[in-house]
Each structure stands twice: as C-alpha cells, then as structure tokens.
Amino acid sequence: MSGLHIGIAGAGLLGRLLAWTLAHQGHRVSVFDPAAEPQPAFDGQGAAGFTAAGMLSPLAELETAEPDVAARGWVSIERWAGITAALARHGHEAPFARRGSLMVAHGADLGAARRVLARLDGAGVLAPTPQTLGADQLRQLEPCLHGSAGPLHAWLLPGEAHIDTVRTLQALHDDAPGVFWHWSSRLTRVSNHTLVTADGATHPFDLVFDVRGTGARPDQPVRGVRGETLWLHAPGLNLQRPVRLLHPRHRVYIVPRADDTVLVGASEIESEDRSPVSLRSAVELMAAAHSVMPALAEARILRMDRNLRPALPDHRPVIHVDDGLVRINGLYRHGWLLAPSLVDEALTRAGLSGAPHADTAQALSDLATPP
C-alpha cells in the first residue's frame, strides 16, 4: 500500500515520528496541531516531548513498569540509533548516545536502593545486569559524580541510552519531505477518514492517526501526569551518562545535553496543573541533584519547564486500529522509550509497510552482554 493521503492529529513526538516515517515512504501527509509553530514554547502547553529529558532506560524502568515496556524499550533504542543516524545523513542533528546510565544512592539510602535492584533482578526479563561500581570505577566514568556528605553507592546499567529531545523533534519536522503542517489548528472531531477543524472545515483522508496525547479527551480516558525539568548550564561538568538518584522520597534524574547543559527532573507528579514550577519543587530537585554532583553549585538556571504526560488508567500504552482510524495514546512517562516500537506496530497493524523491525529476542540477547 503506497501513496495514501494520511492525516495526523497531533504534532508531538508520535505525530512527528509518524509524519517523518510516512513521508519517507512516499505518502502524502498532513499534520494538525494547536501549537503556533514547530519550535517549543516551554510554556507548559505544547508537546510534552519537548519537556522530556530523553532517558532511554528500559532496565531502570522495571522498577515500576511491566516487562513488556522494557522489551519495547530495548527495541526502541535500536530504532533511535537508526533514526538519528538517518537524520544525520540528511544534515539534521539529533544527538543520541548509548553509554549506559547510572543509578546512585547515598550511604543512608542503601537499603532502599537494594530493594529497587531486587525488583529489577526479579522482573523476569532478559536484560543486562546492573554492575556495582567501586569509588575508583565511578570516578573514572564520571569524575563529577560524588556525594557531598560521603561516598556514593553506584551501579552501571549497560546498554541504556539518552537522546536530545528538542533537537530530535526539530530534526524530524525539518526532514519530513512534503508534509503539510497545519499549525494553530484545533481539531473538534477526529474520526474514521476525517478530521474537522475549529473553523468548521472537514478534511477527508484515506487514513487518520490520532496521537493527541491529553488532547484526545473525551475520545479516550486519558489524564495528564505532570513532569518538571530544570535546565542548568554547567560548564566543565562533562557528564556523559544519565544519573538516577535512588532515594526513599525522591526519584531525581540528571541527564546531559550538549553545550554544557544538564536537565534535572522528577519522574512524575499526579497532577494536571500546568502552572510554572513551584519554589518547593525547584529547591528539592536542585538540592537532590547537588547532593550527588556538588559542582552543580556553580551552575546557572537556564529554564524551569513543566508539562503533562498522557496516561491511561492502567498506565499502559494502547494502539487501537479501525477502518480509516488509528489511535495511539497512554505513553505516560515512557514516551521516548516506547515511541518507535509503537509506531512500527501501528503501521504494521494498519497495513502499511513499517520501518524495519528489530527482532526483540535478538536485541535482548545482544544486550545481555554489556557493550
């Protein structure tokens, strides 16, 4: 099946990845989104994918996620490696790195950390085993990482990766040949073969994809889960890998970006509040990050961002395929970890030629040996 006229509701992560994939397959694609332009506004209202830190951590997510989420994540890491390489060949930078990630804990929190590691080990998924790091090994991997009040316990999670979310979203937009982007276009109806915009115009298509996230209400029982990130400029830090702090109360992560920037965030806040980051949240995030990376004391705050991630009642993603309509939603906090796998499956189930599938079993087998 080729040369279809396809409409996409939503220009976030899923919408852009679908548009990029379908355009390169030769389909005619139109994308509708209420945002004013493709660039991020960082106002809590646009695509949640811009706010995400971009950790691709299927092993770490086994602490709370189901094993199939991790299995999809390993496949998606392989797919992101290929997607970002293709973007680079076309002259569009989308930084992606696969050096593993780190989990760390203060001495007083070792018990809580061991409980997390036991859950990872007991998840029943073929995956790399976390490697315990001594103080010298940690110092060699990440010299900037050490406790402000004593040595850190640390574990390396081999095979995990991270991606620059902002540059990748921009690259997917810029490298989607012939796609017609309808910005400032609010949809009032998304149905089989049809999109209707707020001005009353009806747009017929051979196939419609609904990937609006929280905007899909009331068509889907989706709710927003707040995520917050702090963008810090930290020259000389030279962090190479994402870091998760294992703490009884905080689930704080620190993720490196280009240009001496790091993102500090918290996994989830059960709220649909889109207002700016509170003083309490900012202080707690920065204090937790500083406790394992004292050099952040001299970092400069570039931005405090927030957004809502789409979650269904069971916290699991869903793909619904009907005649002329495909819905993908419920990526929760795993958007970047799951998106390529979900897009591939949705295209296959819709009868379209999806991107080449990575074999899940083989991918997991390859990752069982640390790179």
Side-chain angles (χ1 to χ4, degrees), residues 8 39 44 169 208 229 269 289 302-303 330:
I8 299 176
Q39 287 75 31
L169 284 172
V208 166
T229 53
I269 301 171
L302 299 177
R303 181 186 301 119

Side-chain angles (χ1 to χ4, degrees), residues 28-192:
R28 292 183 297 136
V29 180
S30 295
V31 183
F32 298 76
D33 196 276
E37 59 184 0
Q39 287 75 31
F42 298 115
D43 59 359
Q45 301 296 323
F50 281 117
T51 302
M55 291 184 299
L56 306 177
S57 302
L59 180 55
E61 288 299 328
L62 282 171
E63 178 190 354
T64 55
E66 297 296 325
D68 63 310
V69 170
R72 282 188 180 276
W74 291 121
V75 174
S76 288
I77 287 177
E78 300 290 343
R79 291 284 289 113
W80 278 127
I83 291 165
T84 54
L87 290 169
R89 287 194 298 271
H90 301 158
H92 301 284
E93 185 181 12
F96 166 90
R98 188 173 180 178
R99 306 184 185 101
S101 69
L102 292 167
M103 296 196 306
V104 300
H106 294 290
D109 301 321
L110 181 57
R114 283 175 171 161
R115 287 191 291 273
V116 171
L117 290 165
R119 284 197 291 272
L120 302 191
D121 185 57
V125 175
L126 177 61
T129 301
Q131 299 176 4
T132 302
L133 300 177
D136 290 341
Q137 293 171 304
L138 179 60
R139 190 178 304 110
Q140 290 174 1
L141 285 179
E142 300 289 357
C144 65
L145 198 58
H146 55 91
S148 58
L152 293 172
H153 299 281
W155 299 266
L156 174 67
L157 307 186
E160 296 195 334
H162 62 284
I163 191 168
D164 189 317
T165 59
V166 173
R167 294 189 184 185
T168 302
L169 284 172
Q170 292 173 337
L172 289 170
H173 170 271
D174 295 343
D175 188 45
V179 172
F180 194 87
W181 302 89
H182 298 260
W183 301 108
S184 301
S185 294
R186 186 174 64 85
L187 295 169
T188 57
R189 184 160 65 90
V190 176
S191 59
N192 305 62

Side-chain angles (χ1 to χ4, degrees), residues 109 112 245-252 266 268 280 284:
D109 301 321
L245 172 60
L246 300 181
H247 185 278
R249 191 159 60 93
H250 299 296
R251 284 293 183 269
V252 174
E268 63 185 83
R280 177 178 178 177
E284 288 185 350

Side-chain angles (χ1 to χ4, degrees), residues 13-14 17-18 20-21 56 72-84 96 163 168 172 319 328 331 334-348 354-358:
L13 171 56
L14 286 173
L17 187 54
L18 277 165
W20 179 81
T21 303
L56 306 177
R72 282 188 180 276
W74 291 121
V75 174
S76 288
I77 287 177
E78 300 290 343
R79 291 284 289 113
W80 278 127
I83 291 165
T84 54
F96 166 90
I163 191 168
T168 302
L172 289 170
I319 301 173
I328 313 174
L331 273 65
H334 308 121
W336 287 84
L337 183 65
L338 298 180
S341 171
L342 292 172
V343 164
D344 284 356
E345 181 180 335
L347 292 177
T348 299
H357 283 266

